Amino acid sequence: MKITRIEAIPFAIPYRKPLKFASGEVHVAEHVLVRVHTDEGVTGIAEAPPRPFTYGETQAGIIAVIEKLFAPQLVGSSLLERETMVALLGRTVGNPVAKAAIDMAAWDALGRTLGLPVTELLGGYTDRMRVSHMLGFDEPAAMVAEAERMRETYGITTFKVKVGRRPVELDTAVVRALREALGADVELYVDGNRGWTASEAARAMKEMADLDLLFAEELCPADDVLGRRWLVSHLDVPFIADESAVVPADVTREVLGGSATAISIKVARTGFTHSQRVHHLAEGLGLEVVMGNQIDGQLGSMCTVAFGSAYRLTSRRAGELSNFLDMADDLLTEPLEIRDGELVVRPGSGIGVEVDADKLAHYRQDT
Ligand code: MUC
Ligand code: MG
């Protein structure tokens, strides 16, 4: 069970439709496939989606830090020494997405070695998650049409609407149009990616007070400390901390400081090992949790399903799992299928998915 090699392979797959939101936009999935090899001939896989506008990492930076720092530190470790590996990775500050991909690939390799699904090793609560679809910036009619198509084709009935534009009416008009077109039965929530000030956010939320929103996420920056605390104290829906609360210390700080009342867990930035810590903390604090999407491909989405299905708290709410639908292609041998609004864990050991060698050869950028 010893790690012999860690590969970091850049690949690029275009989006059919770019995703736009207040802190950035994504046109091409320029991700990194991470492969952890062991002395028993097992290979674990995971996907690292760089998000420079959120965590400062780039595709080239993720490859460099894995090849130059992390791989030399971890080669020789046993897959069972997960805490030791986390400690070794923790010697380097930052680089959450690179660290998370190594962690998840090591868990995948462990599952494959033991012949057990990772989701069962993690917790085994259920085998599926309801899917929430994230709607990027567009005109109201186009966003309504996309939501209707998602409901009709995939049975999705929960939607996260990207907001944070100016004037705020650009976004409140979209949310109103969605509620009017989709009716009372769908779940709607909004994510501002820190685009508004606290007072703009308060005005927008007041304007949407009759739209029965489920949550509000990162409407203004957490660094506007008093403004955000004031906003959160005036809202009557849970306020999700996403990019402002990555690790347990952030969650503790934001929640105890009154700047958040719910959290998003994204395995793409905390892997499985740190996501477990965040989950346990959230459970202890009595917080609602949403499994978030870092604009993941299918491998990353399956990692989210594996983690989200493992616990009652993370599987209670719909998880953000459908953005891979906007990609022109993917790497997996068997594409993920959303049916009746759900994604089900793949049977088999590890994460339960395989990379198609021909597709990887086509999309990889290092050959
Ligand atoms: C989200 O929930 O914010 C946008 C940027 C990112 O890192 O994740 C997405 C979705
Ligand atoms: Mg968010």
Side-chain angles (χ1 to χ4, degrees), residues 132-189:
S132 164
H133 182 68
M134 190 152 73
L135 296 161
F137 291 166
D138 209 331
E139 297 296 320
M143 291 172 74
V144 167
E146 183 178 337
E148 282 174 336
R149 184 170 60 85
M150 288 293 152
R151 184 165 66 172
E152 226 168 274
T153 315
Y154 303 104
I156 296 173
T157 55
T158 302
F159 297 94
K160 168 156 117 172
V161 190
K162 286 298 192 185
V163 298
R165 290 180 285 189
R166 294 192 171 93
V168 300
E169 288 73 21
L170 278 176
D171 294 326
T172 58
V174 168
V175 183
R176 188 163 297 283
L178 285 163
R179 178 58 81 205
E180 280 168 8
L182 300 170
D185 291 342
V186 300
E187 293 181 324
L188 292 177
Y189 58 112

Side-chain angles (χ1 to χ4, degrees), residues 192-198 201 217-222 224 227-228 231 239:
N193 288 111
R194 301 159 279 141
W196 286 329
T197 63
E217 178 172 324
E218 294 285 2
L219 297 183
C220 67
D224 296 350
R228 173 128 151 194
L231 172 69
F239 190 97

Side-chain angles (χ1 to χ4, degrees), residues 10 45 85 107 161 210 257 271 274 281 291 296 320 326-327 342:
I45 52 173
M85 289 196 273
W107 273 91
V161 190
D210 59 329
H274 278 300
L281 174 65
M291 289 304 299
D296 305 301
E320 296 159 9
D326 290 334
M327 285 168 65
E342 291 182 332

Side-chain angles (χ1 to χ4, degrees), residues 19 21 23 51 53-55 134 160 162 191 193 217 242-243 264 266 269 292-295 320:
L19 184 74
F21 41 95
S23 57
R51 297 288 165 251
F53 39 78
T54 316
Y55 312 105
M134 190 152 73
K160 168 156 117 172
K162 286 298 192 185
D191 181 3
N193 288 111
E217 178 172 324
D242 173 12
E243 55 267 43
S264 171
K266 290 181 175 170
R269 68 185 178 204
N293 190 313
Q294 203 162 292
I295 323 174
E320 296 159 9

